[in-house]
Amino acid sequence: MTGATKTSTGNPSAPGRLLEELAGLLLPVVMPLVRRLPALILVMTALCTAMGVLSLVGASRDDKAIQAHSAVATATVLPGSDFSRTLVRFTTQGGDTLIPEKGVFYPRGLKPGQIVRVEYDSTRPDRVRVLGRDASVGYLPIALMLVGLWVVALPVAFMLRGRQLRRLEAERLAAMVAQ
């Protein structure tokens, strides 16, 4: 043995270099988003609020259309219903048997095979709801969801903005001390 030992040259490993390069590519894209995160949270919350309100407005408009040309029928709840729609089959006053493609409005608690009374728009029979139910069924759940969303989003956005302001103030003070 000659007593010579091999020393490391201090070169970063291949995975380490890959991570550094990836960080170099992503940071310029991600950092502006991080800086705007409080505003993005509030904008997304406002968009969710608008969607909730618009869904209630749409449901109310459908209800008014059904009330304007109301007809009542007996319907059978069909198998094959899923979370997004509950299928029903009913016969219109004109004798046509219909299965509305979008299902029935306000289907809570309906089971396949169940017989229910439905109210539909006689000018557009695919617009159908369970008799006695209307858009008011959705007011409370949507209102609670939106209140919960704002209860979480506002404190998070203000906390993040406060952190940003404290960091900026610390950087400003450090720059003043360095002068």
Side-chain angles (χ1 to χ4, degrees), residues 154-155 168 178:
L154 279 176
L168 290 173

Side-chain angles (χ1 to χ4, degrees), residues 89-103:
R89 178 180 41 236
F90 65 97
T91 304
T92 65
Q93 290 174 341
D96 297 328
T97 299
L98 287 177
I99 301 173
E101 186 177 320
K102 294 181 182 178

Side-chain angles (χ1 to χ4, degrees), residues 12-27:
S13 66
R17 278 185 296 189
L18 181 63
L19 286 175
E20 287 176 14
E21 288 179 23
L22 186 60
L25 290 172
L26 291 178
L27 279 178

Side-chain angles (χ1 to χ4, degrees), residues 15-74:
R17 278 185 296 189
L18 181 63
L19 286 175
E20 287 176 14
E21 288 179 23
L22 186 60
L25 290 172
L26 291 178
L27 279 178
V29 174
V30 172
M31 287 314 292
L33 292 175
V34 169
R35 277 188 232 110
R36 292 180 179 92
L37 191 57
L40 288 172
I41 288 171
L42 294 177
V43 166
M44 294 301 291
T45 303
L47 287 174
C48 288
T49 301
M51 288 185 340
V53 169
L54 288 175
S55 69
L56 290 176
V57 168
S60 295
R61 289 186 70 193
D62 284 336
D63 284 348
K64 284 181 184 173
I66 290 172
Q67 288 171 346
H69 304 99
S70 181
V72 178
T74 301

Side-chain angles (χ1 to χ4, degrees), residues 53-72 103-107 118-124 126-139 142:
V53 169
L54 288 175
S55 69
L56 290 176
V57 168
S60 295
R61 289 186 70 193
D62 284 336
D63 284 348
K64 284 181 184 173
I66 290 172
Q67 288 171 346
H69 304 99
S70 181
V72 178
V104 66
F105 300 147
Y106 323 117
V118 294
E119 185 176 15
Y120 65 95
D121 181 347
S122 60
T123 61
R124 256 185 79 192
D126 62 325
R127 189 180 289 161
V128 60
R129 67 180 179 189
V130 175
L131 186 65
R133 299 181 188 179
D134 60 12
S136 64
V137 175
Y139 292 164
I142 289 178

